[in-house]
Amino acid sequence: MSFDQNIVFNGTDLSPYILVTDVTRQVVPRRRITQTQVPGMDGALVSSVELDPVEVTVKACILRRLMADVSDARRTLAAALSSREPAPLFLPDESGTYLMALYEGGAEPSSLINVPDLELVFLAADPVAYGEHRAQEVSGTTVIDAGGTYQARPVVTVRPPSGSYWQVTNVDTGEFVRVDASFNGSQTLVLDFAARRCTVNGSDHRVDISSDYFALDGVQSVMVSGGTASFEWDERWL
């Protein structure tokens, strides 16, 4: 069985410095299940399911033999791994998907000579991997295939036609986002479904109180009340 040994973190290819020998991660992130007790009912109802962060352990060896060369490689690795914000982590044999992760630190080589071993531990607070960036235009009612194996939240950009509101609806679930405003056909409306943010010409704008920033999940029909909206999102993969 072949094993792709390349690993890239925060845009830096680490493979010139380390040889990956093993990667350990959960098959599926652990799920936090919240239950609600209902009077008069046996058992409970599941009210929400959330995913816990995951740790990824990369076992590797430093591709240097001399003490001075090992020290130089360690400094280079330390600089490459020192991101203070989650950054893309491309793991071996992950078919182009990546996790947004932070290096936890603390690894130390097993020795300073003879290709020392080490373990690098990364934390992905967001445990669902990202994949291909997708874009699709929607006018009227349009079928969207979100791709991936997990729900994705899009950014929607549109120039609403003249009217007192604009709305986008997930036809399959009935969820929608409605924006009440005096549209004249020239404003740019942006809805960020992940950040739950609405802007009109770059300024924050509230949405209707009954709105719900829905997710794209599999193949679904989406309807817009007017104009042509641009949907952009990243595939999500468990």
Side-chain angles (χ1 to χ4, degrees):
M1 179 184 300
S2 63
F3 182 68
D4 179 3
Q5 294 166 322
N6 288 339
I7 177 172
V8 178
F9 179 67
N10 198 19
T12 300
D13 184 0
L14 305 183
S15 56
Y17 309 100
I18 60 175
L19 176 68
V20 176
T21 57
D22 189 35
V23 176
T24 303
R25 61 173 294 186
Q26 296 167 319
V27 174
V28 178
R30 183 176 179 84
R31 303 197 297 173
R32 253 179 297 122
I33 302 173
T34 301
Q35 303 176 55
T36 301
Q37 301 291 332
V38 178
M41 174 183 170
D42 293 332
L45 294 176
V46 174
S47 56
S48 68
V49 178
E50 298 177 341
L51 301 180
D52 280 344
V54 298
E55 278 192 343
V56 178
T57 301
V58 177
K59 295 182 179 180
C61 53
I62 296 180
L63 293 172
R64 303 291 187 272
R65 293 184 179 275
L66 299 178
M67 184 180 299
D69 293 338
V70 169
S71 296
D72 288 343
R74 183 192 62 75
R75 294 190 185 96
T76 301
L77 289 170
L81 296 169
S82 63
S83 171
R84 292 180 177 271
E85 299 292 335
L89 171 65
F90 290 86
L91 296 167
D93 284 350
E94 286 294 326
S95 302
T97 63
Y98 62 93
L99 289 166
M100 292 299 293
L102 273 172
Y103 172 57
E104 290 191 350
E108 59 182 83
S110 58
S111 64
L112 293 178
I113 55 174
N114 296 326
V115 192
D117 296 326
L118 78 162
E119 290 187 1
L120 304 176
V121 180
F122 296 88
L123 175 70
D126 177 354
V128 183
Y130 292 80
E132 179 182 347
H133 183 75
R134 292 196 175 205
Q136 184 171 340
E137 291 193 340
V138 173
S139 58
T141 300
T142 305
V143 174
I144 291 181
D145 182 356
T149 58
Y150 195 77
Q151 61 186 21
R153 296 191 179 272
V155 173
V156 178
T157 304
V158 65
R159 282 181 176 248
S162 297
S164 60
Y165 78 97
W166 188 85
Q167 181 171 311
V168 55
T169 305
N170 185 325
V171 177
D172 293 3
T173 66
E175 298 167 299
F176 65 88
V177 177
R178 175 183 170 115
V179 182
D180 293 312
S182 298
F183 292 113
N184 59 22
S186 65
Q187 300 104 320
T188 298
L189 167 65
V190 179
L191 297 171
D192 187 331
F193 282 56
R196 305 180 69 83
R197 185 185 181 196
C198 168
T199 62
V200 176
N201 287 344
S203 299
D204 287 331
H205 191 92
R206 68 175 59 185
V207 299
D208 183 86
I209 192 171
S210 57
S211 298
D212 191 357
Y213 286 93
F214 57 83
L216 301 176
D217 195 356
V219 179
Q220 294 179 314
S221 294
V222 176
M223 179 176 66
V224 297
S225 61
T228 299
S230 173
F231 279 62
E232 293 190 56
W233 71 96
D234 293 318
E235 293 177 346
R236 303 302 305 273
W237 294 85
L238 280 175

